Amino acid sequence: MSQTSEIPSNVHSRNESSLSSSTVNANSPRSHPRGISAALPRSEVPAVSVRNASKSFPRPDLPPVEAIVDVSINVDLGEFVVIVGPSGCGKSTLLNIIAGLAEPNMGSVSLQGDGDAERIGRVAYMHQIDLLLPWRNVLSNATLGLEIAGIPRTDADAKATELAQRFGIADFLNAYPATLSGGMRQRVALLRAVLPDRDVLLLDEPFKALDAITRAELQRWLSDVLDRTNRATVMVTHDVEEALMLGDRVLVMSPRPGRILIELDVDLPRPRPRDVVRESKFVELKWQLLSALSGESVR
Amino acid sequence: MSVLPQTENHVSSESPTVASHRQTVSIWNRLAGYVQNWGAAVVIALLGLVVWELSVRLFDVQEWLLPPVSKILSELIADPPLFISNGWVTLREILVGFMVSTTFGFVMATGMFWSRLLERSVYPFLIASQTVPVFTLAPLLVIWTGTGMTPKVVIVVLFTFFPITIGLMTGLRSVDADMIAMFRTLGASKWQMFTKLHLPSALPYLFAGLKVAAVVSVIGAVIGEWIGASAGLGWLIKTSGSRYQTDKVFAAIFTLSVMASMMFILISLVQARMLRHYHQSDSEGATN
């Protein structure tokens, strides 16, 4: 959010043609960008820095699946970056790489500029599905990360109970996951992810499994909950509106193999009310994103 | 019995309405559940006994061939200490064997979970041990360990360790990959993952194994007593049979099956209690 004012145009094209294709419905085949690092020069070290990362998965008797090719992303503390792309474009692979669950075949990843350090356990990660443990109640599901970090039970419970208020789950702390709705379960999953106080938070389509109403509600709720925190957030989604409701910056990824096509700054003021979707600025941004997405899928 | 909150009430679910009101289910609800689950089976069993009793009387079957139910019951009532004391001998063999098996299964499954080498070297022999007809081992066991309690316990163990070990091992292995990834991102060590994820996840599989073991343990004990014993329900069946005391044989069989059923039910109750939160729509203790 802080850097948006310094930038005259909100579109950082990954190549020259993507700008034109975002206004014209491009259905002609066009050359792929070669993944020029679009990171803007910044004075401080970014919280997350992915440099020219590629990842492919070997298959027996077949050529390997290329999940992502030459992806570069920088995310600063306090920034909310959303990656939009069609299903199966390697978005989850990218998050897994940032989280340290996988390593890129080429390129590098660093947290706080420290490229050699182990990333696993330093990045908060919330998955598409809530992954709550059915045998634990809400409170002890939420404190799982703190428990693993060796924080005493009473301290962990106090910390979770305090945040649970803001998360809207304070009345459910003793309930078991099986009795909760999908929306509630996702709230608990997010609480579990953020409680250990990591600098980086990854959200992998956190509202995918929810219906439209709950989804809209949780999008508002998420921006309320996270705006006050100083961390770098990377969210992956295939929902363009969700990206614009939540993100400071939106990156569009191509279908597999995933490359970053364009990058938009979302200079809409916060908090963003529900009817922000009717503002001309929002509509314009949405059109740019959709054009970039569809232009790519026609190729 | 319970609402599935995930498919309904999406709007209201975000306000505190889907409460945890299922947490205290009354004993009466539970009893009603049992009646619903077992009522039909009990009725069929009673009907079968009535048919038995009537047809034996109607066709005038010799008592030493097939005694009427009433005769078997009166045999039980006439000398309860006979069945209780012999039942206790058999039950003790079963319980000791069961404990040995559970301990052994736990050590084995855990060991094979942690060490692929141990799994590769031990697993084939676990399978092989089940292909040997235990009955043929019984005479050897008597030669090696006498006619006391030991050979019976050994046979019970041979029957029960397999389902327990395999159940637990399968459970430890069948943890969702996403769950493992989630634990890894929280920074969990392998030991933390074992105690907080793998072990709790394996409990349903362990209980499935324990239930099978409970039923076959009775067979194991009876086989042990068949070969050489001076007490126990298996011994009672054998000696009564050779004297054509068919009513006593049936009374002992009845006692045995009650014992096996009680063990099965006991394990089911513990399971329902321990796993009561595992499933979305489980009807509180009424699962098998």
Side-chain angles (χ1 to χ4, degrees):
Chain A
M1 236 156 72
S2 54
Q3 83 279 8
T4 54
S5 53
E6 306 155 17
I7 299 152
S9 162
N10 65 328
V11 178
H12 317 295
S13 172
R14 291 286 169 148
N15 65 343
E16 294 308 310
S17 64
S18 70
L19 235 188
S20 55
S21 73
S22 63
T23 47
V24 184
N25 198 358
N27 49 11
S28 58
R30 55 199 171 80
S31 63
H32 272 295
R34 283 208 312 280
I36 306 135
S37 174
L40 297 165
R42 290 192 179 88
S43 49
E44 78 271 32
V45 184
V48 179
S49 175
V50 179
R51 256 184 262 281
N52 308 105
S54 299
K55 176 76 179 175
S56 59
F57 297 97
R59 287 182 296 182
D61 306 325
L62 287 167
V65 183
E66 286 187 276
I68 57 169
V69 174
D70 210 9
V71 169
S72 298
I73 298 174
N74 281 347
V75 188
D76 285 332
L77 282 179
E79 201 183 15
F80 197 126
V81 170
V82 184
I83 300 167
V84 188
S87 299
C89 71
K91 293 170 294 187
S92 297
T93 304
L94 180 58
L95 290 194
N96 284 343
I97 286 174
I98 296 173
L101 288 169
E103 290 298 326
N105 301 123
M106 277 183 288
S108 65
V109 187
S110 58
L111 302 177
Q112 263 85 38
D114 188 358
D116 298 327
E118 180 93 339
R119 299 192 299 286
I120 194 90
R122 288 178 59 201
V123 175
Y125 194 166
M126 182 185 171
H127 290 74
Q128 290 178 16
I129 44 174
D130 54 73
L131 297 173
L132 297 181
L133 302 175
W135 53 85
R136 285 172 172 245
N137 67 15
V138 166
L139 181 62
S140 69
N141 260 298
T143 54
L144 181 64
L146 300 175
E147 187 183 316
I148 283 169
I151 288 163
R153 180 74 179 269
T154 46
D155 297 357
D157 285 358
K159 208 175 159 190
T161 310
E162 191 193 322
L163 259 184
Q165 199 72 40
R166 205 208 289 173
F167 273 58
I169 53 173
D171 296 334
F172 300 90
L173 291 178
N174 293 317
Y176 281 82
T179 66
L180 297 179
S181 67
M184 280 296 162
R185 294 166 68 111
Q186 287 302 83
R187 289 175 188 230
V188 180
L190 183 67
L191 180 57
R192 176 182 62 196
V194 302
L195 267 177
D197 261 334
R198 313 268 191 245
D199 287 337
V200 181
L201 171 64
L202 308 178
L203 305 167
D204 186 3
E205 303 198 43
F207 310 131
K208 192 185 187 184
L210 304 177
D211 64 292
I213 298 167
T214 313
R215 195 183 170 110
E217 213 173 292
L218 283 197
Q219 285 168 6
R220 282 298 317 281
W221 167 82
L222 183 70
S223 64
D224 287 352
V225 173
L226 291 183
D227 262 355
R228 304 172 219 175
T229 54
N230 187 36
R231 64 163 69 84
T233 308
V234 182
M235 184 171 98
V236 144
T237 181
H238 58 251
D239 183 333
V240 168
E241 282 198 8
E242 181 170 288
L244 292 173
M245 289 294 290
L246 293 170
D248 299 321
R249 202 145 51 92
V250 180
L251 284 72
V252 177
M253 244 173 134
S254 70
R256 183 164 278 179
R259 303 163 199 264
I260 306 277
L261 296 174
I262 61 162
E263 186 174 338
L264 291 182
D265 276 332
V266 185
D267 44 2
L268 295 163
R270 284 179 190 271
R272 294 171 189 161
R274 194 74 200 125
D275 59 4
V276 74
V277 299
R278 295 193 299 187
E279 283 178 26
S280 59
K281 180 79 197 168
F282 189 97
V283 175
E284 171 61 23
L285 288 168
K286 186 178 167 184
W287 178 244
Q288 286 179 0
L289 289 180
L290 287 173
S291 306
L293 280 166
S294 61
E296 190 53 37
S297 61
V298 177
R299 82 196 164 99
Chain B
M1 206 157 119
S2 65
V3 215
L4 290 175
Q6 269 201 312
T7 52
E8 297 158 24
N9 302 329
H10 281 296
V11 187
S12 62
S13 64
E14 299 313 316
S15 61
T17 50
V18 183
S20 51
H21 50 72
R22 287 203 312 132
Q23 280 185 354
T24 50
V25 175
S26 78
I27 295 165
W28 293 114
N29 273 354
R30 232 177 247 200
L31 273 180
Y34 288 137
V35 170
Q36 196 183 348
N37 277 278
W38 299 104
V42 170
V43 167
I44 287 174
L46 289 176
L47 270 178
L49 292 177
V50 169
V51 170
W52 178 347
E53 177 79 26
L54 289 180
S55 46
V56 166
R57 287 179 187 279
L58 199 66
F59 301 115
D60 205 16
V61 181
Q62 293 288 305
E63 227 170 58
W64 58 268
L65 267 177
L66 185 64
V69 180
S70 54
K71 185 79 198 345
I72 298 168
L73 281 178
S74 66
E75 190 69 35
L76 274 171
I77 294 161
D79 195 4
L82 176 72
F83 297 98
I84 291 173
S85 63
N86 283 298
W88 171 238
V89 170
T90 307
L91 186 62
R92 225 174 38 194
E93 294 157 4
I94 291 172
L95 290 181
V96 174
F98 213 78
M99 277 188 281
V100 172
S101 277
T102 308
T103 313
F104 179 83
F106 205 85
V107 171
M108 271 306 179
T110 312
M112 285 190 286
F113 172 78
W114 283 90
S115 158
R116 285 276 170 187
L117 178 66
L118 186 72
E119 183 187 354
R120 276 196 293 268
S121 46
V122 167
Y123 193 69
F125 295 104
L126 291 185
I127 305 283
S129 76
Q130 296 304 295
T131 65
V132 177
V134 175
F135 207 89
T136 61
L137 291 180
L140 291 173
L141 287 172
V142 173
I143 294 169
W144 293 335
T145 58
T147 55
M149 193 177 169
T150 321
K152 287 92 179 175
V153 170
V154 171
I155 292 177
V156 170
V157 169
L158 284 173
F159 267 93
T160 54
F161 87 88
F162 193 70
I164 296 175
T165 310
I166 297 300
L168 188 55
M169 198 179 94
T170 311
L172 291 174
R173 285 275 159 78
S174 59
V175 173
D176 188 33
D178 285 339
M179 282 283 189
I180 293 173
M182 186 269 288
F183 266 79
R184 286 185 63 204
T185 59
L186 290 175
S189 66
K190 199 163 184 218
W191 176 249
Q192 284 174 323
M193 232 186 268
F194 180 72
T195 55
K196 295 178 205 296
L197 177 61
H198 288 277
L199 215 47
S201 305
L203 283 184
Y205 297 83
L206 173 64
F207 274 107
L210 286 175
K211 283 181 182 172
V212 175
V215 176
V216 297
S217 66
V218 177
I219 304 172
V222 169
I223 289 176
E225 290 172 5
W226 213 264
I227 302 307
S230 50
L233 289 172
W235 165 83
L236 187 63
I237 291 170
K238 197 187 174 196
T239 49
S240 305
S242 59
R243 289 178 206 143
Y244 290 91
Q245 293 171 323
T246 321
D247 44 4
K248 221 173 239 176
V249 171
F250 273 107
I253 291 174
F254 176 78
T255 315
L256 266 178
S257 94
V258 166
M259 233 162 62
S261 305
M262 294 300 279
M263 285 182 55
F264 188 89
I265 290 169
L266 188 70
I267 292 172
S268 298
L269 288 176
V270 175
Q271 177 188 31
R273 172 89 195 139
M274 284 184 75
L275 309 186
R276 66 193 182 285
H277 298 301
Y278 274 54
H279 300 293
Q280 184 96 356
S281 57
D282 88 297
S283 39
E284 301 294 345
T287 47
N288 49 28

